Amino acid sequence: MPKNGYKLVSSPDILILEEIEEYLTTNFIGRNIYYFDSLDSTNTKAKEMAMDEEEGTVVVAEEQIKGKGRLGGRNWVSPKGKGIWMSIILKPNMLPSEVAKLTLIGAAAVNKALEEMGIISYIKWPNDIVIQGKKVCGILTEMSCELNIINYVIMGIGINVNLLKEDFSQELVDKATSLKEITGRDLDRKRLLASVLNHFENLYLPFKQRGGDISATIDISRGKSLLIGKEIRILRE
Ligand code: BTN
């Protein structure tokens, strides 16, 4: 029996702050994490909490029952323990018209975090992360503002980490995939979550402090863009 206590050789795969703290290098993004076993939607919960919480607070759920997708209230498949379903509360001091740029920062942060884990992904402007032609991450940015003042922004990020093919509906299986399906291995959700938050803060700070400077984000997006050089068609909802 060791005299000096025990060495922790493995830790549970749950996304609480205590578990991801060792990987986190941020000052304020993710320093306050509300963790839920199950929620309708982390965006909905974050909106309820936003007025009373500090910037950088994160809401995470192991599963979402009514995960929200972008178009037409589409459901976002969010099975328990298999992905990263989170929302970051932001309170940028800028015009509401600037907020669209935040989604680009979120996408660039996910792209960089995946790269750090040895996974090359592409950004399908403005808010999808795609690998081998299929979506592995989506971002839903929602905002509350009055006239020209932003009350808060909720950046919802969904990453399909360890989902299996069977987790996707017939309709989605050709369009969406997971990091596990791509790499053939289980990925560490804690490390990935921390890394997304680290990269997000690095890219968000210059944007916030230097009046909307997203040059670093643009460089990442350009380098990994799926659309540059392609003809695109814009459809109105
Ligand atoms: C899309 O349709 O591409 C956007 C999907 C966004 C999904 C994430 S999961 C965490 C957050 N909570 C939600 O209800 N939706 C976003």
Side-chain angles (χ1 to χ4, degrees):
M1 185 70 87
K3 288 208 180 94
N4 302 326
Y6 296 92
K7 186 179 170 200
L8 195 62
V9 286
S10 73
S11 57
D13 179 34
I14 52 171
L15 303 176
I16 53 175
L17 181 58
E18 289 75 7
E19 291 294 335
I20 67 161
E21 218 165 13
E22 64 177 300
Y23 309 113
L24 212 56
T25 57
T26 59
N27 285 320
F28 66 103
I29 298 286
R31 287 291 160 187
N32 189 21
I33 296 185
Y34 286 92
Y35 169 84
F36 296 87
D37 189 48
S38 181
L39 280 179
D40 275 358
S41 152
T42 56
N43 267 32
T44 307
K45 189 71 184 174
K47 270 193 253 176
E48 283 165 27
M49 299 163 64
M51 283 312 237
D52 300 323
E53 294 298 332
E54 301 212 332
E55 173 160 75
T57 296
V58 170
V59 176
V60 181
E62 291 294 349
E63 78 172 340
Q64 296 185 117
I65 309 295
K66 286 188 201 153
K68 290 197 285 184
R70 251 178 326 127
L71 299 176
R74 237 183 251 171
N75 216 44
W76 182 260
V77 176
S78 320
K80 192 167 227 166
K82 294 191 175 183
I84 294 176
W85 326 123
M86 71 162 164
S87 302
I88 311 174
I89 298 173
L90 301 168
K91 300 190 172 175
N93 184 12
M94 56 189 56
L95 291 172
S97 55
E98 293 287 287
V99 161
K101 292 180 186 165
L102 282 175
T103 305
L104 294 179
I105 296 181
V110 174
N111 175 272
K112 285 311 260 183
L114 290 177
E115 192 173 292
E116 213 173 278
M117 298 186 94
I119 301 170
I120 299 302
S121 65
Y122 293 89
I123 299 172
K124 193 169 165 197
W125 181 85
N127 54 357
D128 290 350
I129 301 289
V130 171
I131 305 178
Q132 295 171 6
K134 293 186 181 181
K135 186 158 158 173
V136 292
C137 165
I139 299 176
L140 176 66
T141 309
E142 300 186 84
M143 162 172 72
S144 156
C145 61
E146 280 159 53
L147 295 173
N148 271 341
I149 295 172
I150 295 175
N151 295 322
Y152 59 81
V153 173
I154 305 297
M155 169 153 307
I157 302 180
I159 310 178
N160 300 336
V161 186
N162 294 323
L163 286 81
L164 300 173
K165 232 178 176 169
E166 304 85 88
D167 290 312
F168 297 100
S169 64
Q170 202 58 40
E171 187 203 345
L172 277 180
V173 84
D174 294 332
K175 298 184 193 131
T177 189
S178 72
L179 301 174
K180 182 177 170 124
E181 289 289 340
I182 301 265
T183 60
R185 61 188 161 99
D186 268 308
L187 273 114
D188 185 342
R189 293 186 308 148
K190 291 181 281 192
R191 276 184 99 125
L192 181 57
L193 168 53
S195 179
V196 171
L197 298 177
N198 294 341
H199 284 290
F200 185 83
E201 185 172 290
N202 285 343
L203 295 169
Y204 177 58
L205 269 180
F207 176 68
K208 194 175 144 76
Q209 290 168 348
R210 279 186 249 129
D213 174 6
I214 54 161
S215 47
T217 295
I218 296 288
D219 285 347
I220 297 166
S221 307
R222 271 221 184 95
K224 290 288 175 350
S225 168
L226 203 67
L227 297 181
I228 287 180
K230 300 242 170 72
E231 194 175 306
I232 60 164
R233 194 178 297 169
I234 295 176
L235 303 170
R236 274 170 198 251
E237 258 190 278

